[in-house]
Amino acid sequence: MEPLFNVGKADDLMKIGIPRTLTYYAYKPLWETFFQDLGCEIVVSDKTSKGILDKGVEFAVNDACIPIKLFHGHMHNIGNRADFIFVPRLINLTGEKTVTYCPKFLGLTDMVRASMPDLPPLLDFRIDLREKWKARRREYERLGCLLGMSPGRIGHAFRSAKRALRSYRRRLSHGNDPERAVAELREHTGIPSLPSRPITLAVVGYPYLLYDDFVNAGLMTKLYNMGIRILTPEMVPERQLLIKAKGLPKDLFWTFSNQVVRSAMYYIDDSRVDGIIHVTAFGCGPDSMVGKLIELEAKQRGVPYVLISLDEHTGEAGILTRLEAFVDMLRYRRGEL
């Protein structure tokens, strides 16, 4: 297989495009460290906007959920600024035998190739940590050939990237300063100081919904401005998630769905938590099961729960009204109103 890029171009770094959506929010350090170790320049798509969403609606199939529509929009946004766009086929990044990613994630490369023919070459590196080393090595060799680099250098960069991801997750799981951990994940600044006895809410959902201010209509920022302490799935240590998994009848198969359910069960048992907010995408099949499991457990344990469903028509005023009503109810329960 011939390399797709002339590595002899000393005056120009290879530009790797990374869409700022879906797995970006969960694995940003993994992808960026990987390509930076290879000597590439990282080009990230712009923050989500109405224009990006409109383009996504234009290119995606009609029955796609909003995260998939947004992905198409971000691909269009970055298409003319990169030599390659990284669209990995994520099969398994946890090593758990029965867990994989949503089928729509697995088919992203095929979807965008079919509907967006003018894109630069896509790097559809397959990542499945359940496979034996020989199978993974073949993927390294294929990617190394496409980029004009040796499989050994590709493998070294990926191992370095996994170390960066582990370090990043340890920082997120330090519960002493969760607001700052979320701020690092969302690149958010100017978080207001919390009151001496703040209401604490576990906001659970997929990272591409929680940390995209446009698609969630500024939900997280609104909660911060209300003086709420926020806890998210990324702040739960991996060991605690695995412990909670043992208490569930079975896995939900999908990686992010398992993370949301397990973290919600962890927070329901946490006496610091005043309530649970579940942020979901309208039309997401797995989330219909996830939401019901969390709702039933929260009701049984007497923990207030609210569901926030998002799509391309979600309005900021509606989100704010629901949040204010939920927070006022919690303050009333604490005798503060």
Side-chain angles (χ1 to χ4, degrees):
M1 183 183 298
E2 292 295 325
L4 296 179
F5 191 86
N6 181 6
V7 294
K9 294 170 65 179
D11 60 336
D12 192 15
L13 290 177
M14 189 188 312
K15 295 180 180 179
I16 306 295
I18 301 179
R20 192 193 295 264
T21 188
L22 293 186
T23 60
Y24 172 82
Y25 292 99
Y27 301 117
K28 173 184 175 182
L30 184 73
W31 309 145
E32 291 188 349
T33 302
F34 176 61
F35 287 111
Q36 286 169 352
D37 274 22
L38 294 176
C40 302
E41 178 183 346
I42 305 298
V43 181
V44 180
S45 60
D46 297 331
K47 292 185 178 181
T48 303
S49 63
K50 186 178 186 302
I52 287 178
L53 176 57
D54 288 345
K55 278 296 180 182
V57 171
E58 176 184 337
F59 284 107
V61 295
N62 291 332
D63 60 348
C65 58
I66 187 171
I68 299 301
K69 292 175 180 177
L70 280 175
F71 186 82
H72 284 71
H74 279 274
M75 291 289 287
H76 177 270
N77 176 263
I78 205 175
N80 61 356
R81 292 187 279 144
D83 299 306
F84 296 93
I85 301 182
F86 185 54
V87 188
R89 292 187 186 271
L90 292 185
I91 311 299
N92 184 287
L93 264 173
T94 66
E96 296 179 74
K97 297 297 184 183
T98 60
V99 177
T100 185
Y101 286 82
C102 172
K104 293 178 181 178
F105 280 42
L106 306 185
L108 278 175
T109 309
D110 303 309
M111 279 191 273
V112 295
R113 277 182 176 144
S115 60
M116 306 178 72
D118 296 327
L119 292 173
L122 306 183
L123 298 178
D124 57 344
F125 183 39
R126 175 188 169 97
I127 305 177
D128 189 349
L129 297 188
R130 299 171 302 181
E131 291 183 334
K132 295 182 178 180
W133 169 241
K134 285 186 177 180
R136 282 186 274 165
R137 181 178 175 180
R138 284 194 296 270
E139 282 297 290
Y140 292 136
E141 292 173 347
R142 184 174 69 87
L143 188 59
C145 189
L146 289 173
L147 295 178
M149 299 182 183
S150 69
R153 186 175 181 184
I154 292 281
H156 179 272
F158 191 61
R159 289 190 293 273
S160 176
K162 287 197 294 184
R163 289 193 296 270
L165 181 64
R166 286 195 295 268
S167 175
Y168 182 70
R169 285 177 170 173
R170 282 195 299 270
R171 186 168 70 249
L172 287 177
S173 65
H174 290 166
N176 295 329
D177 191 8
E179 292 79 20
R180 189 169 300 280
V182 172
E184 292 172 2
L185 189 62
R186 296 174 57 249
E187 301 175 355
H188 179 72
T189 58
I191 295 175
S193 300
L194 294 174
S196 58
R197 187 171 171 261
I199 287 177
T200 299
L201 292 178
V203 184
V204 299
Y206 304 144
Y208 46 85
L209 298 178
L210 295 188
Y211 306 116
D212 189 321
D213 276 343
F214 181 86
V215 71
N216 66 33
L219 180 147
M220 302 287 270
T221 302
K222 289 177 172 58
L223 289 174
Y224 282 129
N225 291 335
M226 293 179 192
I228 304 299
R229 172 179 285 125
I230 298 174
L231 303 173
T232 68
E234 288 72 30
M235 297 174 191
V236 182
E238 186 67 27
R239 183 173 60 87
Q240 294 297 330
L241 292 177
L242 294 176
I243 290 173
K244 287 301 175 184
K246 295 178 181 178
L248 297 171
K250 62 181 298 184
D251 289 327
L252 294 180
F253 303 115
W254 319 131
T255 300
F256 285 141
S257 296
N258 276 320
Q259 182 187 37
V260 170
V261 169
R262 295 169 186 177
S263 62
M265 299 307 168
Y266 173 83
Y267 286 131
I268 286 172
D269 286 338
D270 190 335
S271 59
R272 300 174 300 166
V273 174
D274 296 293
I276 305 283
I277 296 178
H278 178 208
V279 182
T280 181
F282 178 78
C284 176
D287 250 7
S288 61
M289 178 66 72
V290 169
K292 183 54 67 174
L293 286 172
I294 299 173
E295 179 185 2
L296 292 175
E297 186 67 19
K299 183 177 181 180
Q300 184 177 356
R301 302 292 296 275
V303 177
Y305 165 88
V306 67
L307 174 71
I308 302 290
S309 181
L310 307 172
D311 64 14
E312 59 265 38
H313 306 295
T314 299
E316 184 174 350
I319 293 286
L320 181 60
T321 299
R322 298 200 68 191
L323 292 179
E324 288 178 339
F326 188 62
V327 171
D328 284 347
M329 181 269 293
L330 295 176
R331 287 181 173 145
Y332 180 80
R333 282 168 57 100
R334 289 172 54 162
E336 297 177 359
L337 288 180

